[in-house]
């Protein structure tokens, strides 16, 4: 189990999906991000690249338009180590 927050310029980014693309083992996992920028779900411990995308939330397109498009796809220079029980903090700055 993991939980975390997505922010940009210190403000929460919500109503999007955050996707984790494994760099080691596992498979891509997409988790919905609440309006307050928080998310929770299940991931295998390891290294992941991450990106954001449109979610089913009503305000998702508006929220996504405020995010730099470089965060719409995974990038090898943008990765995070995921460990069970450790909060994930994603700053889209």
């Amino acid at each position: 189990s993991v939980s975390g927050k997505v922010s940009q310029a210190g403000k929460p980014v919500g109503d999007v999906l955050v996707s984790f693309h494994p760099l080691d083992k596992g498979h891509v996992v997409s988790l919905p991000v609440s309006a307050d920028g928080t998310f929770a779900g299940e991931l295998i411990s390891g290294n992941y690249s991450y990106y954001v995308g449109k979610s089913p939330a009503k305000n998702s397109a508006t929220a996504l338009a405020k995010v730099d498009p470089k965060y719409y796809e995974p990038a090898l220079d943008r990765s995070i180590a995921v460990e069970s029980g450790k909060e994930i903090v994603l700053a889209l700055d």
Side-chain angles (χ1 to χ4, degrees), residues 75-88:
L76 292 176
D77 63 343
R78 185 178 62 247
S79 64
I80 190 159
V82 172
E83 298 175 31
S84 182
K86 182 179 175 186
E87 185 178 55
I88 300 169

Side-chain angles (χ1 to χ4, degrees), residues 21-43:
H21 190 279
L23 300 176
D24 302 322
K25 59 186 176 203
H27 56 280
V28 175
V29 174
S30 297
L31 302 173
V33 181
S34 300
D36 66 357
T38 61
F39 63 88
E42 300 291 324
L43 285 174

